[in-house]
mmCIF file of all heavy atoms in Angstrom:
data_model
loop_
_atom_site.group_PDB
_atom_site.id
_atom_site.type_symbol
_atom_site.label_atom_id
_atom_site.label_comp_id
_atom_site.label_asym_id
_atom_site.label_seq_id
_atom_site.Cartn_x
_atom_site.Cartn_y
_atom_site.Cartn_z
ATOM 1 N N VAL I 161 0.849 -1.182 0.000
ATOM 2 C CA VAL I 161 0.000 0.000 0.000
ATOM 3 C C VAL I 161 0.888 1.236 0.000
ATOM 4 O O VAL I 161 2.024 1.206 0.479
ATOM 5 C CB VAL I 161 -0.976 0.033 1.193
ATOM 6 C CG1 VAL I 161 -1.988 -1.094 1.088
ATOM 7 C CG2 VAL I 161 -0.215 -0.041 2.516
ATOM 8 N N TYR I 162 0.362 2.330 -0.540
ATOM 9 C CA TYR I 162 1.119 3.553 -0.704
ATOM 10 C C TYR I 162 0.350 4.727 -0.106
ATOM 11 O O TYR I 162 -0.878 4.718 -0.030
ATOM 12 C CB TYR I 162 1.379 3.843 -2.180
ATOM 13 C CG TYR I 162 2.049 2.714 -2.922
ATOM 14 C CD1 TYR I 162 1.304 1.720 -3.539
ATOM 15 C CD2 TYR I 162 3.436 2.649 -3.008
ATOM 16 C CE1 TYR I 162 1.913 0.687 -4.220
ATOM 17 C CE2 TYR I 162 4.052 1.615 -3.693
ATOM 18 C CZ TYR I 162 3.294 0.637 -4.297
ATOM 19 O OH TYR I 162 3.908 -0.385 -4.970
ATOM 20 N N LEU I 163 1.096 5.744 0.287
ATOM 21 C CA LEU I 163 0.509 7.008 0.682
ATOM 22 C C LEU I 163 1.185 8.111 -0.117
ATOM 23 O O LEU I 163 2.369 8.384 0.082
ATOM 24 C CB LEU I 163 0.681 7.270 2.183
ATOM 25 C CG LEU I 163 0.037 8.551 2.706
ATOM 26 C CD1 LEU I 163 -1.492 8.447 2.639
ATOM 27 C CD2 LEU I 163 0.485 8.856 4.129
ATOM 28 N N GLN I 164 0.444 8.720 -1.032
ATOM 29 C CA GLN I 164 0.942 9.848 -1.798
ATOM 30 C C GLN I 164 0.652 11.120 -1.022
ATOM 31 O O GLN I 164 -0.503 11.391 -0.687
ATOM 32 C CB GLN I 164 0.282 9.904 -3.175
ATOM 33 C CG GLN I 164 0.721 11.083 -4.033
ATOM 34 C CD GLN I 164 2.168 10.996 -4.441
ATOM 35 O OE1 GLN I 164 2.638 9.918 -4.823
ATOM 36 N NE2 GLN I 164 2.893 12.102 -4.356
ATOM 37 N N MET I 165 1.683 11.906 -0.747
ATOM 38 C CA MET I 165 1.551 13.134 0.024
ATOM 39 C C MET I 165 2.009 14.304 -0.831
ATOM 40 O O MET I 165 3.161 14.353 -1.269
ATOM 41 C CB MET I 165 2.374 13.058 1.310
ATOM 42 C CG MET I 165 2.043 11.855 2.183
ATOM 43 S SD MET I 165 2.886 11.898 3.790
ATOM 44 C CE MET I 165 4.597 11.796 3.253
ATOM 45 N N ASN I 166 1.109 15.243 -1.062
ATOM 46 C CA ASN I 166 1.392 16.423 -1.861
ATOM 47 C C ASN I 166 1.232 17.684 -1.024
ATOM 48 O O ASN I 166 0.582 17.683 0.020
ATOM 49 C CB ASN I 166 0.459 16.481 -3.074
ATOM 50 C CG ASN I 166 0.623 15.302 -4.005
ATOM 51 O OD1 ASN I 166 1.726 14.790 -4.198
ATOM 52 N ND2 ASN I 166 -0.479 14.875 -4.615
ATOM 53 N N SER I 167 1.816 18.766 -1.515
ATOM 54 C CA SER I 167 1.705 20.070 -0.849
ATOM 55 C C SER I 167 2.039 19.969 0.628
ATOM 56 O O SER I 167 1.297 20.448 1.496
ATOM 57 C CB SER I 167 0.298 20.645 -1.055
ATOM 58 O OG SER I 167 0.005 20.797 -2.426
ATOM 59 N N LEU I 168 3.160 19.364 0.930
ATOM 60 C CA LEU I 168 3.534 19.111 2.314
ATOM 61 C C LEU I 168 3.803 20.411 3.064
ATOM 62 O O LEU I 168 4.317 21.382 2.508
ATOM 63 C CB LEU I 168 4.755 18.207 2.370
ATOM 64 C CG LEU I 168 4.464 16.737 2.040
ATOM 65 C CD1 LEU I 168 5.750 15.990 1.738
ATOM 66 C CD2 LEU I 168 3.719 16.076 3.203
ATOM 67 N N LYS I 169 3.457 20.395 4.341
ATOM 68 C CA LYS I 169 3.605 21.538 5.224
ATOM 69 C C LYS I 169 4.485 21.156 6.411
ATOM 70 O O LYS I 169 4.578 19.983 6.762
ATOM 71 C CB LYS I 169 2.236 21.995 5.726
ATOM 72 C CG LYS I 169 1.240 22.315 4.629
ATOM 73 C CD LYS I 169 -0.129 22.625 5.215
ATOM 74 C CE LYS I 169 -1.139 22.913 4.123
ATOM 75 N NZ LYS I 169 -2.485 23.200 4.685
ATOM 76 N N PRO I 170 5.126 22.132 7.053
ATOM 77 C CA PRO I 170 5.952 21.816 8.222
ATOM 78 C C PRO I 170 5.193 21.045 9.297
ATOM 79 O O PRO I 170 5.788 20.191 9.972
ATOM 80 C CB PRO I 170 6.391 23.191 8.729
ATOM 81 C CG PRO I 170 6.425 24.031 7.495
ATOM 82 C CD PRO I 170 5.254 23.554 6.669
ATOM 83 N N GLU I 171 3.909 21.304 9.465
ATOM 84 C CA GLU I 171 3.130 20.598 10.471
ATOM 85 C C GLU I 171 2.876 19.136 10.120
ATOM 86 O O GLU I 171 2.337 18.389 10.939
ATOM 87 C CB GLU I 171 1.795 21.308 10.728
ATOM 88 C CG GLU I 171 0.988 21.586 9.476
ATOM 89 C CD GLU I 171 1.165 22.999 8.958
ATOM 90 O OE1 GLU I 171 2.310 23.491 8.970
ATOM 91 O OE2 GLU I 171 0.164 23.615 8.542
ATOM 92 N N ASP I 172 3.255 18.710 8.912
ATOM 93 C CA ASP I 172 3.170 17.305 8.541
ATOM 94 C C ASP I 172 4.351 16.496 9.066
ATOM 95 O O ASP I 172 4.373 15.269 8.915
ATOM 96 C CB ASP I 172 3.089 17.144 7.024
ATOM 97 C CG ASP I 172 1.818 17.733 6.434
ATOM 98 O OD1 ASP I 172 0.749 17.581 7.055
ATOM 99 O OD2 ASP I 172 1.902 18.340 5.342
ATOM 100 N N THR I 173 5.325 17.161 9.645
ATOM 101 C CA THR I 173 6.500 16.474 10.179
ATOM 102 C C THR I 173 6.084 15.485 11.260
ATOM 103 O O THR I 173 5.440 15.858 12.240
ATOM 104 C CB THR I 173 7.503 17.484 10.738
ATOM 105 O OG1 THR I 173 7.995 18.307 9.676
ATOM 106 C CG2 THR I 173 8.676 16.773 11.400
ATOM 107 N N ALA I 174 6.449 14.218 11.076
ATOM 108 C CA ALA I 174 6.045 13.162 12.000
ATOM 109 C C ALA I 174 6.677 11.852 11.548
ATOM 110 O O ALA I 174 7.259 11.761 10.467
ATOM 111 C CB ALA I 174 4.522 13.018 12.042
ATOM 112 N N VAL I 175 6.532 10.835 12.389
ATOM 113 C CA VAL I 175 6.832 9.471 11.980
ATOM 114 C C VAL I 175 5.547 8.877 11.422
ATOM 115 O O VAL I 175 4.498 8.942 12.064
ATOM 116 C CB VAL I 175 7.352 8.616 13.150
ATOM 117 C CG1 VAL I 175 7.589 7.180 12.696
ATOM 118 C CG2 VAL I 175 8.641 9.214 13.703
ATOM 119 N N TYR I 176 5.637 8.305 10.236
ATOM 120 C CA TYR I 176 4.470 7.760 9.558
ATOM 121 C C TYR I 176 4.495 6.241 9.619
ATOM 122 O O TYR I 176 5.525 5.612 9.370
ATOM 123 C CB TYR I 176 4.425 8.236 8.106
ATOM 124 C CG TYR I 176 3.985 9.674 7.987
ATOM 125 C CD1 TYR I 176 4.813 10.713 8.389
ATOM 126 C CD2 TYR I 176 2.715 9.993 7.485
ATOM 127 C CE1 TYR I 176 4.395 12.031 8.307
ATOM 128 C CE2 TYR I 176 2.301 11.309 7.395
ATOM 129 C CZ TYR I 176 3.142 12.327 7.803
ATOM 130 O OH TYR I 176 2.726 13.637 7.719
ATOM 131 N N TYR I 177 3.342 5.656 9.945
ATOM 132 C CA TYR I 177 3.210 4.219 10.118
ATOM 133 C C TYR I 177 2.092 3.677 9.233
ATOM 134 O O TYR I 177 1.091 4.358 8.999
ATOM 135 C CB TYR I 177 2.852 3.860 11.559
ATOM 136 C CG TYR I 177 3.845 4.305 12.612
ATOM 137 C CD1 TYR I 177 3.767 5.561 13.184
ATOM 138 C CD2 TYR I 177 4.848 3.437 13.040
ATOM 139 C CE1 TYR I 177 4.666 5.958 14.160
ATOM 140 C CE2 TYR I 177 5.750 3.827 14.012
ATOM 141 C CZ TYR I 177 5.657 5.089 14.571
ATOM 142 O OH TYR I 177 6.547 5.472 15.541
ATOM 143 N N CYS I 178 2.245 2.441 8.785
ATOM 144 C CA CYS I 178 1.132 1.709 8.209
ATOM 145 C C CYS I 178 0.766 0.566 9.145
ATOM 146 O O CYS I 178 1.571 0.135 9.968
ATOM 147 C CB CYS I 178 1.441 1.182 6.804
ATOM 148 S SG CYS I 178 2.706 -0.099 6.721
ATOM 149 N N ALA I 179 -0.467 0.091 9.037
ATOM 150 C CA ALA I 179 -0.934 -0.972 9.901
ATOM 151 C C ALA I 179 -2.059 -1.738 9.216
ATOM 152 O O ALA I 179 -2.690 -1.238 8.289
ATOM 153 C CB ALA I 179 -1.414 -0.412 11.244
ATOM 154 N N ALA I 180 -2.309 -2.954 9.707
ATOM 155 C CA ALA I 180 -3.342 -3.819 9.170
ATOM 156 C C ALA I 180 -4.333 -4.189 10.254
ATOM 157 O O ALA I 180 -3.952 -4.400 11.407
ATOM 158 C CB ALA I 180 -2.726 -5.083 8.565
ATOM 159 N N SER I 181 -5.595 -4.290 9.873
ATOM 160 C CA SER I 181 -6.661 -4.616 10.810
ATOM 161 C C SER I 181 -7.678 -5.537 10.164
ATOM 162 O O SER I 181 -7.956 -5.424 8.967
ATOM 163 C CB SER I 181 -7.365 -3.345 11.291
ATOM 164 O OG SER I 181 -8.488 -3.655 12.096
ATOM 165 N N ALA I 182 -8.240 -6.432 10.966
ATOM 166 C CA ALA I 182 -9.334 -7.273 10.508
ATOM 167 C C ALA I 182 -10.670 -6.538 10.567
ATOM 168 O O ALA I 182 -11.685 -7.085 10.142
ATOM 169 C CB ALA I 182 -9.406 -8.556 11.330
ATOM 170 N N ARG I 183 -10.662 -5.321 11.095
ATOM 171 C CA ARG I 183 -11.869 -4.493 11.183
ATOM 172 C C ARG I 183 -11.645 -3.225 10.364
ATOM 173 O O ARG I 183 -11.215 -2.199 10.913
ATOM 174 C CB ARG I 183 -12.207 -4.148 12.621
ATOM 175 C CG ARG I 183 -12.509 -5.356 13.494
ATOM 176 C CD ARG I 183 -13.009 -4.943 14.858
ATOM 177 N NE ARG I 183 -14.273 -4.236 14.776
ATOM 178 C CZ ARG I 183 -14.918 -3.708 15.818
ATOM 179 N NH1 ARG I 183 -14.386 -3.821 17.031
ATOM 180 N NH2 ARG I 183 -16.062 -3.080 15.653
ATOM 181 N N PRO I 184 -11.928 -3.267 9.075
ATOM 182 C CA PRO I 184 -11.723 -2.096 8.219
ATOM 183 C C PRO I 184 -12.473 -0.866 8.713
ATOM 184 O O PRO I 184 -13.604 -0.958 9.191
ATOM 185 C CB PRO I 184 -12.271 -2.558 6.863
ATOM 186 C CG PRO I 184 -12.136 -4.046 6.889
ATOM 187 C CD PRO I 184 -12.415 -4.435 8.326
ATOM 188 N N ASP I 185 -11.809 0.267 8.610
ATOM 189 C CA ASP I 185 -12.366 1.569 8.982
ATOM 190 C C ASP I 185 -12.568 1.740 10.481
ATOM 191 O O ASP I 185 -13.237 2.685 10.908
ATOM 192 C CB ASP I 185 -13.682 1.849 8.263
ATOM 193 C CG ASP I 185 -13.486 2.282 6.824
ATOM 194 O OD1 ASP I 185 -12.398 2.804 6.503
ATOM 195 O OD2 ASP I 185 -14.419 2.106 6.026
ATOM 196 N N SER I 186 -11.982 0.866 11.274
ATOM 197 C CA SER I 186 -12.055 1.043 12.716
ATOM 198 C C SER I 186 -11.354 2.336 13.124
ATOM 199 O O SER I 186 -10.305 2.690 12.584
ATOM 200 C CB SER I 186 -11.409 -0.135 13.441
ATOM 201 O OG SER I 186 -11.339 0.112 14.833
#
């Protein structure tokens, strides 16, 4: 899976994680 990030701002600074769940949209 991918995350496309455009028009980035300083407040977007963070550690980014992906995760999987058996309950979609939880």
